[in-house]
Amino acid sequence: MSSIMSRAELRSLPMLQQPNYPDEAALDSVIDAVEKLPPLVFAGECDGLRAKLAEVAEGRAFLLQGGDCAESFEAVTAQHIKDKLLVQLSMAVVMTYAAQVPVVKVGRIAGQYAKPRSKPTETRGETTLPSYRGDAINGFDFTEQARAHDPERLIRLYNASAATLNLVRAFVTGGFADLRGVHTWNRDFVGNPEVEAAYEELAAEIDRALTFMVACGVDDRALSTIDFYASHEALLLEYERAMTRVDSRSQQVYGCSGHMLWIGERTRQLDGAHVELLRRVRNPLGIKLGPTTTPRQAIELADRLDPDREPGRITFITRMGADRVREVLPRVIEGVEETGRKVAWVCDPMHGNTFEAANGYKTRSFNDVVEEVRGFFDVHDSLGTWPGGLHVELTGDDVTECVGGALKLEETDLADRYETVCDPRLNRNQSLELAFTVATRLRKGRRSRGNPVLDFRAKEL
């Protein structure tokens, strides 16, 4: 039986990228309150996702994980959440139809309110203040009051996550995700004729397939609802520990702030508090791996977090950069594969491709994003391993944060609608365009590998 880590245990370990709260008594008061709050997700849901990720690791499914770089409290509205869901639903249906395997849908949602930062402070002119670290820690406005680290924001984090999950559950089970509405998912936001035409052609094919399935007597309830899971970086250790619960059925400990939790590139030290805390929970776990990752580091992390090699437990989310992925990734995959361990390999083509534009905006080139995805698929094709998924920062809004794409956004366009509070995200058109790129590679892979989902023998009569 697992036990929940105590506050004293947690605070005795190295804790990187944490808020600097000036009043520990105030923090303890908030943590007392969080510990009494109901779980946001449940053990059975986490187990269900882990089973689906085991299918990803076996090459029988594909993971699409996406959402905001950093959520904001102000964006917890029905329209914002619906728009983000629409983008992922549209992307997922494109990929599902191409790969002909299930696409596991996981959002960077309902908990992604904090971000690690490379610098603890920000300077503008002669004023230096703490860096903005996400709404769960401090405010975005460049004032001393807003930038102060406030533990009361952890309660707002919980409430915002709860409200978001309530809306997501209502949308995905209430007919909003019905496959027969595939045309309407994209109608309001496709702005490029080429992408729109490709999507509408695909939607028409899906309509014909669905008509055939219903005519054959397929239960149409399977077409009207989906499973959609919530994930976030388990960065805020005090909050994550307070949100751990013992499952009454199994007596095992789960992190009940989200279905899937991941450890970032900056906080995956073997002797650190992040690894120790997540080692104790039963959730499926993601681990970000950057371009400096060695095979030994990846293996040691997997062994520490998953000593029993449980299917679906470990997802490696690689963020190598477009110029490094073909060089670094093969060695890491080969090293892990040689141990006999099966993990899900997922590409994050965003975080390794960030740069500062000439006008000062932090941005990413869509071409670089696509190139890393292609490199990811190239590596897996050469090794004969399964490219298991895509992890992408995106939004349902028509922002101008990443340059390039079919609409040919340039650096001078960034100022038009640069709305992110942290890292640049793909807009709706760029997200769907990327989905078609991935779909092309999945279709190619299906032809060469075969389709394990349809691996059956016709019965002789």
Side-chain angles (χ1 to χ4, degrees), residues 9-303:
E9 285 180 288
L10 177 68
R11 293 171 184 177
S12 69
L13 296 169
M15 299 168 63
L16 299 184
Q17 294 285 339
Q18 297 305 291
N20 182 23
Y21 297 122
D23 186 347
E24 189 170 289
L27 170 63
D28 281 333
S29 178
V30 169
I31 296 303
D32 287 341
V34 173
E35 288 177 343
K36 297 184 178 94
L37 293 170
L40 292 172
V41 302
F42 302 98
E45 296 172 331
C46 299
D47 293 343
L49 176 57
R50 190 171 59 250
K52 291 178 185 293
L53 292 173
E55 292 290 283
V56 173
E58 290 291 340
R60 298 176 60 88
F62 189 84
L63 171 65
L64 174 60
Q65 188 173 12
D68 282 311
C69 162
E71 296 175 280
S72 67
F73 294 151
E74 290 182 359
V76 183
T77 67
Q79 190 64 47
H80 270 98
I81 293 164
K82 184 177 80 169
D83 288 346
K84 281 189 282 191
L85 279 174
L86 279 175
V87 174
Q88 273 197 262
L89 288 175
S90 299
M91 294 177 72
V93 78
V94 168
M95 295 175 185
T96 303
Y97 202 73
Q100 298 288 292
V101 297
V103 171
V104 182
K105 291 164 278 289
V106 178
R108 288 174 59 108
I109 199 167
Q112 188 61 17
Y113 290 96
K115 289 285 289 184
R117 303 311 299 261
S118 56
K119 297 179 180 179
T121 60
E122 178 184 356
T123 299
R124 299 185 189 178
E126 297 182 356
T127 303
T128 298
L129 295 174
S131 295
Y132 171 68
R133 289 181 170 270
D135 278 7
I137 299 174
N138 57 359
F140 183 70
D141 292 342
F142 194 71
T143 66
E144 187 173 353
Q145 181 180 6
R147 291 297 176 91
H149 293 187
D150 180 6
E152 290 291 336
R153 285 177 171 266
L154 297 179
I155 300 295
R156 295 185 66 187
L157 158 61
Y158 175 90
N159 291 333
S161 299
T164 300
L165 280 169
N166 284 340
L167 279 167
V168 168
R169 285 171 171 139
F171 279 134
V172 301
T173 60
F176 174 79
D178 196 313
L179 269 174
R180 286 161 291 193
V182 66
H183 282 285
T184 64
W185 293 350
N186 215 43
R187 181 176 298 157
D188 295 335
F189 66 76
V190 171
N192 179 269
E194 293 181 11
V195 177
E196 183 174 12
Y199 185 87
E200 285 303 312
E201 181 181 351
L202 177 69
E205 290 185 30
I206 292 170
D207 277 348
R208 290 192 292 272
L210 291 176
T211 301
F212 173 77
M213 290 167 61
V214 173
C216 290
V218 173
D219 185 350
D220 65 356
R221 287 176 297 179
L223 308 178
S224 62
T225 63
I226 62 169
D227 291 324
F228 192 91
Y229 298 95
S231 70
H232 62 269
E233 180 178 358
L235 182 66
L236 298 181
L237 291 165
E238 297 279 4
Y239 175 78
E240 298 296 342
R241 190 209 62 81
M243 284 300 297
T244 55
R245 304 285 187 270
V246 176
D247 175 39
S248 59
R249 307 166 309 156
S250 64
Q251 300 304 303
Q252 297 292 318
V253 174
Y254 287 78
C256 291
S257 63
H259 300 110
M260 178 185 185
L261 306 173
W262 77 79
I263 303 174
E265 168 80 351
R266 293 184 176 99
T267 55
R268 55 177 173 80
Q269 297 78 19
L270 282 174
D271 60 349
H274 288 87
V275 169
E276 179 59 26
L277 178 63
L278 293 194
R279 183 182 70 83
R280 302 188 183 201
V281 301
R282 290 272 296 143
N283 306 59
L285 302 178
I287 307 168
K288 289 287 190 85
L289 301 179
T292 63
T293 304
T294 65
R296 179 177 178 179
Q297 288 172 336
I299 294 166
E300 288 177 341
L301 281 163
D303 287 345

Side-chain angles (χ1 to χ4, degrees), residues 138 341 347 384 409 417 422 433:
N138 57 359
R341 179 184 286 279
C347 177
L409 293 180
R417 287 195 62 181
C422 195
E433 191 178 349

